[in-house]
Amino acid sequence: ELKVEQNPLFLSMQEGKNYTIYCNYSTTSDRLYWYRQDPGKSLESLFVLLSNGAVKQEGRLMASLDTKARLSTLHITAAVHDLSATYFCAVDIGQGAQKLVFGQGTRLTINP
Amino acid sequence: KAGVTQTPRYLIKTRGQQVTLSCSPISGHRSVSWYQQTPGQGLQFLFEYFSETQRNKGNFPGRFSGRQFSNSRSEMNVSTLELGDSALYLCASSATAAYNEQFFGPGTRLTVL
């Protein structure tokens, strides 16, 4: 059974600091997605990573994918309060039809 | 361009009843997926439809069913509701085949009493 594990599950950090969220998965896949969810809201797509070595950046967030290590990272640079949210990674195992398996989510709190 | 819409946004039912949730994908999107989100189990895949055909199904009992119409709108139905079915039900759409970004709707919050 596919497992997608995020680490850490809870993260409290100060503004201005850098940190990394890790997403490990247990099956072969070269399609990984990162989403953000604010309390009481739906999921907002952040990054789509479709190949080994893929790296994408948007503002203070950067995501990467290492399919050989079955690992994706979401790096936060110089955190600001607005980035407080829960972040999910999801692996697509649909084999031609989409079927996402999500990690548990990382609840990120950024304190002034 | 309008996003994914889901109706109703909130629903309260009692055990044993059935419920139908609706999802309208982004215009031009043909793939619709459904997910259940609960505090205990997290986000779990229910099923995915493309061109009115169910292509993938998650590990949910047969009480959970869905369908997709020719205009790509989708419905999911839960029969004989149980307390554990209380959840946020999210619908997502994507353009065509795999490798496409999924865009999520606001969700339907179902409470079963």
Side-chain angles (χ1 to χ4, degrees):
Chain A
E1 182 188 333
L2 169 65
K3 288 189 186 300
V4 180
E5 295 184 336
Q6 289 183 232
N7 177 42
L9 299 183
F10 298 92
L11 178 56
S12 180
M13 54 192 292
Q14 287 188 309
E15 280 191 327
K17 300 291 187 184
N18 304 332
Y19 211 82
T20 301
I21 299 171
Y22 298 89
C23 174
N24 289 274
Y25 54 98
S26 63
T27 194
T28 302
S29 176
D30 57 2
R31 305 190 297 280
L32 190 135
Y33 304 80
W34 283 95
Y35 290 91
R36 167 184 171 146
Q37 187 175 39
D38 291 299
K41 304 287 187 181
S42 186
L43 297 172
E44 174 191 352
S45 177
L46 294 175
F47 299 107
V48 178
L49 303 169
L50 298 178
S51 62
N52 185 41
V55 177
K56 291 203 174 173
Q57 182 162 6
E58 180 74 33
R60 300 173 189 275
L61 301 177
M62 183 174 71
S64 66
L65 177 62
D66 181 344
T67 58
K68 294 192 172 104
R70 299 179 185 174
L71 171 68
S72 180
T73 61
L74 179 66
H75 186 72
I76 302 148
T77 301
V80 293
H81 179 69
D82 285 352
L83 290 178
S84 296
T86 299
Y87 293 84
F88 292 93
C89 64
V91 175
D92 190 347
I93 60 168
Q95 296 182 336
Q98 290 184 324
K99 179 176 180 179
L100 297 185
V101 178
F102 282 84
Q104 314 96 307
T106 295
R107 186 176 297 179
L108 174 63
T109 303
I110 299 169
N111 305 303
Chain B
K1 191 157 149 175
V4 179
T5 58
Q6 292 186 245
T7 56
R9 294 290 313 279
Y10 302 91
L11 206 48
I12 299 175
K13 293 285 188 179
T14 56
R15 279 180 298 174
Q17 288 187 309
Q18 74 164 20
V19 67
T20 299
L21 311 182
S22 180
C23 171
S24 292
I26 291 171
S27 178
H29 283 194
R30 295 168 62 190
S31 170
V32 174
S33 301
W34 289 88
Y35 295 85
Q36 181 197 64
Q37 185 175 28
T38 60
Q41 299 299 317
L43 279 152
Q44 293 184 284
F45 173 80
L46 280 156
F47 24 66
E48 188 255 0
Y49 288 88
F50 181 82
S51 292
E52 302 178 66
T53 300
Q54 186 183 89
R55 299 195 298 181
N56 261 315
K57 191 175 190 309
N59 295 325
F60 279 82
R63 299 185 297 107
F64 291 82
S65 62
R67 60 179 175 168
Q68 187 181 33
F69 302 94
S70 58
N71 61 357
S72 295
R73 190 178 70 85
S74 177
E75 289 181 347
M76 67 163 282
N77 183 275
V78 188
S79 63
T80 320
L81 284 165
E82 300 178 359
L83 295 179
D85 297 333
S86 294
L88 179 65
Y89 290 88
L90 293 164
C91 162
S93 77
S94 62
T96 52
Y99 313 118
N100 275 287
E101 189 174 6
Q102 288 196 2
F103 296 89
F104 281 80
T108 294
R109 173 76 62 184
L110 172 65
T111 302
V112 182
L113 302 176

